[in-house]
Amino acid sequence: FATRAALWQLDSLPKNGIGDDEFRDMRDWLSGYSRLWELTTDRRLGYAIDGVYYETPAYLDTFRKSLAKMTATQVNDVVKRRLSGRALQVVIVTQDGAAFRDAIVSGKPTPPSYGDAKPPDDVTKDDPIIQTWPFDVTADHVKVVPVSEAFK
């Protein structure tokens, strides 16, 4: 289900875009969350070293300033130009690669599993669409690699 949800998002986002309110919420969240990236001395040192190497001094400050100036229209324009789920290569690590391959090739629905918790309706409203979202792959497009060979 999670892989289908990602594919669905890659297809839906360029078509539908992000609304102004949703964009502001995400921008504000990301701006605050980015403070965690500099929480420890090690992290601050890492960004300082990266800044010297990549010639991006004060990267996090620059990131937050740029984020504050961004608009939903700008993001939607870039998403429409750059984001596509059709030319995509995916690596998935799973206990049974052959079963996963067979499941995505079969086209059968993959309903979500939320455990004991029942998410709110606004979270699950698209689940019926997502659980049947097409993978558009055949078995010859899927390569199952044993873990013993994965990093050779």
Side-chain angles (χ1 to χ4, degrees), residues 1-13 84-86 88 90 130 133-137:
F1 182 83
T3 306
R4 278 190 157 125
L7 294 172
W8 177 75
Q9 283 289 348
L10 284 171
D11 186 72
S12 300
L13 192 55
S84 167
R86 294 297 146 214
L88 188 66
V90 178
I130 295 170
W133 196 256
F135 280 102
D136 293 330
V137 295

Side-chain angles (χ1 to χ4, degrees), residues 1 4 13 47 50 59 62-63 74 76 82 90-91 94 98 100-101 104 106 113 115 124 130 133-134 139 148 151-152:
F1 182 83
R4 278 190 157 125
L13 192 55
Y47 278 105
D50 284 353
Y59 171 75
T62 303
F63 172 80
Q74 290 171 319
N76 287 329
R82 304 285 184 186
V90 178
V91 174
T94 184
F100 184 84
R101 177 200 55 222
I104 65 171
S106 76
S113 174
T124 61
I130 295 170
W133 196 256
S148 60
F151 298 104
K152 288 185 178 180

Side-chain angles (χ1 to χ4, degrees), residues 5 13 41 62 72-73 128 139-140 144 151:
L13 192 55
T41 303
T62 303
T73 300
D140 59 318
V144 177
F151 298 104

Side-chain angles (χ1 to χ4, degrees), residues 62-126:
T62 303
F63 172 80
R64 284 188 282 268
K65 287 175 185 172
S66 297
L67 195 59
K69 294 177 189 174
M70 264 182 230
T71 67
T73 300
Q74 290 171 319
V75 171
N76 287 329
D77 288 345
V78 170
V79 164
K80 285 179 187 171
R81 284 194 322 267
R82 304 285 184 186
L83 193 61
S84 167
R86 294 297 146 214
L88 188 66
Q89 293 183 1
V90 178
V91 174
I92 296 172
V93 178
T94 184
Q95 189 169 1
D96 189 346
F100 184 84
R101 177 200 55 222
D102 295 346
I104 65 171
V105 169
S106 76
K108 293 178 184 172
T110 51
S113 174
Y114 293 109
D116 294 335
K118 172 66 172 111
D121 289 342
D122 65 321
V123 171
T124 61
K125 68 180 173 24
D126 296 315

